[in-house]
Amino acid sequence: MKKIAFICVHNSCRSQMAECLGKYYLQGLYECYSAGTETKPMINQDAVQIMKEMYGIDMEVNGQYSKRLKDIPDCDYYISMGCNVTCPFIGRDFDDNWRLEDPTGKNKEAFIEVIKEIEKRILYLYEEK
């Protein structure tokens, strides 16, 4: 089975939501991971709450936590969540850059907008498989 990694700098919000939705929609098609070049002590609590509300998925109960690239296996595809200043260096080119704004510190609607865009792109991966 092919592996996809969703990458951002801190692995605390966008990449975590992408990993979660990837596991939700792509189960049996891809193994989904997320990682960052840095980590945070915990994943974004607004993301955790809104993912629970929208999908009934508890990212923390599912065992998601902030990880570095070295903590995940080598993957077939690497997708950047979006780089506002500089993309993290992963030792190779990204297969895609989703150019998503980081909703951290913004209102609930900003999170929902990003989550819906991630969902749309995950479903596209499903259709392409």
Side-chain angles (χ1 to χ4, degrees):
M1 187 178 317
K2 299 228 181 217
K3 298 177 180 82
I4 298 177
F6 301 100
I7 309 297
C8 63
V9 175
H10 295 117
N11 187 226
S12 63
C13 190
R14 294 168 293 171
S15 57
Q16 290 287 342
M17 294 185 297
E19 176 185 0
C20 183
L21 289 174
K23 288 177 177 176
Y24 184 72
Y25 286 115
L26 303 175
Q27 184 177 11
L29 299 174
Y30 294 98
E31 289 180 29
C32 296
Y33 300 91
S34 68
T37 52
E38 302 172 22
T39 59
K40 292 278 186 177
M42 64 176 21
I43 58 178
N44 185 297
Q45 293 301 293
D46 291 326
V48 170
Q49 184 59 40
I50 295 168
M51 289 294 290
K52 262 190 234 180
E53 290 173 15
M54 291 179 69
Y55 302 95
I57 300 169
D58 188 332
M59 296 192 311
E60 293 176 316
V61 169
N62 287 346
Q64 288 187 230
Y65 62 95
S66 187
K67 302 167 290 298
R68 290 185 184 268
L69 287 165
K70 66 180 181 169
D71 298 328
I72 65 171
D74 288 335
C75 293
D76 300 290
Y77 305 106
Y78 290 87
I79 299 172
S80 168
M81 294 293 93
C83 310
N84 295 337
V85 181
T86 303
C87 278
F89 178 71
I90 64 168
R92 61 170 287 221
D93 289 339
F94 284 100
D95 295 292
D96 199 358
N97 181 347
W98 287 0
R99 292 174 170 56
L100 301 170
E101 286 292 321
D102 185 357
T104 300
K106 297 181 181 171
N107 63 27
K108 184 176 181 176
E109 289 72 30
F111 275 86
I112 291 171
E113 185 177 318
V114 170
I115 290 168
K116 287 295 188 183
E117 184 63 27
I118 291 170
E119 180 181 41
K120 180 176 97 178
R121 291 168 185 257
I122 294 287
L123 290 172
Y124 179 77
L125 292 172
Y126 176 82
E127 292 168 5
E128 289 296 303
K129 181 68 177 152

